[in-house]
């Protein structure tokens, strides 16, 4: 682990930077909220928020955009962790927008593309003026264009060519009524940093992040688990494999990877040598086109 002249480790510096960002938001905005899916990045954000405001409770609600196609283990973890913290959870359901006719199911049953409408509705209904997200710059090239404070217009849209400058640790949260700021405290973290931090802090994550036996089938080079939302098609063979998940998004488009890693330390060793990016290896929706993520973010996606 890198140690700089301050005597602080790389993880210490990343932690301090993220906590500084969270405290800035709490001081500057009236109605912040934190997006919490039960995935490792949002779990780390929750841990950082607990540290930032300890011994007080986290001073903003947690918001989960629920596609209805989540892994059961992740939802159980989400609810238990929220109860342990005594936090307030707001669940915005994609199914509600489908039932109201605001969005339509897409061929193949993928619901990730439908989340944008639900997210923007939740932000409007909650009148949130700042929304924490767990995006990291190493995940995908569109996310690498995001700043810590990312301005969104009255329609929730993002313009990557019109980003505000961020000099040192000076952030610009200025916005008019109806506009809001997306905030990314983990921008400078990598997947390896996240796992090293989870290991160092002893942070609990859902069990599907670690190696376990699961029925899977292969589609377009990805291993999809057999769930009510991801079923094999004719000609696709189901087998039982030892796998784990690197992300825990919508079950219909999130793939597993073959892995023997059963502890955070073993995951750290695995991630340190892999050449496959996290989202490129396991998220079918990101493969739609070269600019799939950027197009969705312009519309208001995470």
């Amino acid at each position: 682990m890198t140690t700089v002249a301050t005597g602080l480790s790389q993880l210490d510096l990343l932690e301090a930077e993220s906590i500084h960002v969270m405290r800035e938001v709490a001081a500057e905005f009236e109605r912040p909220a934190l997006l919490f899916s039960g995935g490792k990045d949002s779990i780390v954000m929750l841990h950082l928020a607990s540290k930032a405001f300890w011994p007080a409770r986290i001073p903003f609600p947690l918001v989960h955009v629920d596609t209805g196609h989540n892994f059961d283990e992740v939802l159980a973890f989400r609810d238990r962790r929220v109860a342990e913290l005594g936090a307030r959870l707001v669940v915005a359901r994609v199914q509600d927008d489908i039932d109201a006719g605001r969005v339509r199911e897409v061929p193949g049953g993928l619901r990730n593309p439908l989340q944008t409408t639900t997210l923007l509705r939740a932000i409007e209904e909650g009148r949130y003026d700042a929304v924490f997200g767990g995006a990291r710059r190493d995940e995908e090239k569109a996310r690498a264009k995001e700043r810590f404070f990312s301005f969104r217009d009255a329609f929730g849209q993002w313009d990557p060519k019109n980003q505000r400058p961020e000099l040192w640790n000076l952030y610009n949260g200025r916005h008019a009524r109806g506009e809001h700021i997306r905030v990314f405290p983990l921008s400078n973290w990598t997947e390896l940093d996240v796992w090293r931090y989870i290991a160092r802090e002893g942070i609990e994550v859902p069990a599907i992040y670690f190696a376990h036996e699961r029925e899977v089938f292969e589609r377009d080079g990805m291993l999809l688990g057999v769930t009510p939302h991801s079923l094999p098609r004719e000609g696709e063979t189901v087998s039982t494999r030892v796998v784990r998940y690197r992300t825990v998004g919508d079950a219909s488009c999130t793939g597993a990877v073959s892995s023997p890693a059963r502890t955070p330390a073993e995951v750290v060793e695995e991630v340190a040598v892999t050449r496959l990016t996290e989202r490129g290896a396991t998220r079918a929706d990101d493969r739609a086109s070269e600019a799939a993520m950027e197009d969705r973010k312009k519309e208001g996606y995470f």
Side-chain angles (χ1 to χ4, degrees):
M1 187 178 298
T2 302
T3 301
V4 297
T6 60
L8 299 175
S9 70
Q10 179 186 359
L11 288 183
D12 291 333
L13 294 171
L14 288 171
E15 178 188 69
E17 180 180 63
S18 299
I19 286 176
H20 169 71
V21 170
M22 288 185 164
R23 288 174 175 166
E24 279 288 299
V25 170
E28 189 173 346
F29 292 85
E30 294 182 357
R31 297 181 66 86
L34 186 150
L35 296 175
F36 181 66
S37 64
K40 67 183 186 308
D41 298 317
S42 61
I43 291 170
V44 166
M45 283 208 301
L46 199 59
H47 184 79
L48 291 165
S50 297
K51 279 195 166 186
F53 304 105
W54 187 88
R57 289 185 178 182
I58 298 171
F60 34 75
L62 315 181
V63 176
H64 183 206
V65 177
D66 183 349
T67 66
H69 288 175
N70 300 285
F71 293 96
D72 292 339
E73 302 97 317
V74 177
L75 290 183
F77 176 90
R78 177 201 68 182
D79 293 341
R80 180 168 56 78
R81 191 73 187 106
V82 167
E84 289 170 352
L85 290 172
R88 182 164 73 90
L89 176 67
V90 177
V91 179
R93 294 181 171 81
V94 169
Q95 186 63 52
D96 291 343
D97 289 297
I98 294 173
D99 294 342
R102 290 186 283 269
V103 293
R104 292 182 179 178
E105 295 270 21
V106 299
L110 299 181
R111 287 192 170 182
N112 265 2
L114 309 184
Q115 292 184 89
T116 300
T117 297
T118 306
L119 171 63
L120 295 179
R121 175 172 61 80
I123 292 172
E124 182 179 2
E125 291 176 354
R127 293 183 291 117
Y128 303 126
D129 53 4
V131 182
F132 291 104
R136 309 185 320 267
R137 293 192 178 110
D138 75 318
E139 286 182 80
E140 196 273 340
K141 57 186 179 183
R143 294 191 167 182
K145 298 179 181 179
E146 292 274 24
R147 308 289 172 87
F148 280 99
F149 278 30
S150 182
F151 171 76
R152 303 302 168 102
D153 66 19
F155 301 99
Q157 297 173 329
W158 173 62
D159 181 358
K161 296 181 180 178
N162 191 27
Q163 293 280 285
R164 294 170 175 172
E166 290 185 341
L167 302 178
W168 301 287
N169 59 353
L170 302 177
Y171 310 118
N172 186 345
R174 184 169 55 85
H175 65 283
R177 183 182 294 275
E179 300 169 343
H180 69 274
I181 303 292
R182 302 283 174 87
V183 185
F184 302 106
L186 304 184
S187 288
N188 285 339
W189 296 54
T190 66
E191 181 186 12
L192 184 58
D193 293 327
V194 167
W195 276 107
R196 283 175 169 164
Y197 190 70
I198 288 170
R200 186 185 86 168
E201 300 285 304
I203 300 171
E204 184 183 359
V205 297
I208 67 172
Y209 275 115
F210 303 113
H212 59 285
E213 287 191 349
R214 182 175 290 261
E215 285 192 328
V216 298
F217 58 93
E218 186 169 342
R219 178 179 299 165
D220 300 328
M222 291 178 53
L223 292 177
L224 294 177
V226 178
T227 76
H229 315 298
S230 56
L231 295 171
R233 299 168 183 163
E234 185 176 350
E236 294 176 334
T237 303
V238 174
S239 60
T240 300
R241 302 268 293 270
V242 177
V243 299
R244 73 175 192 87
Y245 286 85
R246 291 176 69 179
T247 66
V248 293
D250 192 285
S252 62
C253 63
T254 302
V257 294
S258 295
S259 168
R262 297 184 180 277
T263 67
E266 291 176 358
V267 173
V268 167
E269 292 180 6
E270 182 178 277
V271 172
V273 297
T274 187
R275 291 182 175 275
L276 293 175
T277 64
E278 176 183 348
R279 294 189 68 90
T282 61
R283 295 296 284 268
D285 52 331
D286 288 351
R287 298 179 174 185
S289 74
E290 281 288 312
M293 175 62 81
E294 182 161 327
D295 290 342
R296 278 184 288 162
K297 288 180 76 67
K298 288 178 180 176
E299 295 170 355
Y301 191 69
F302 302 101

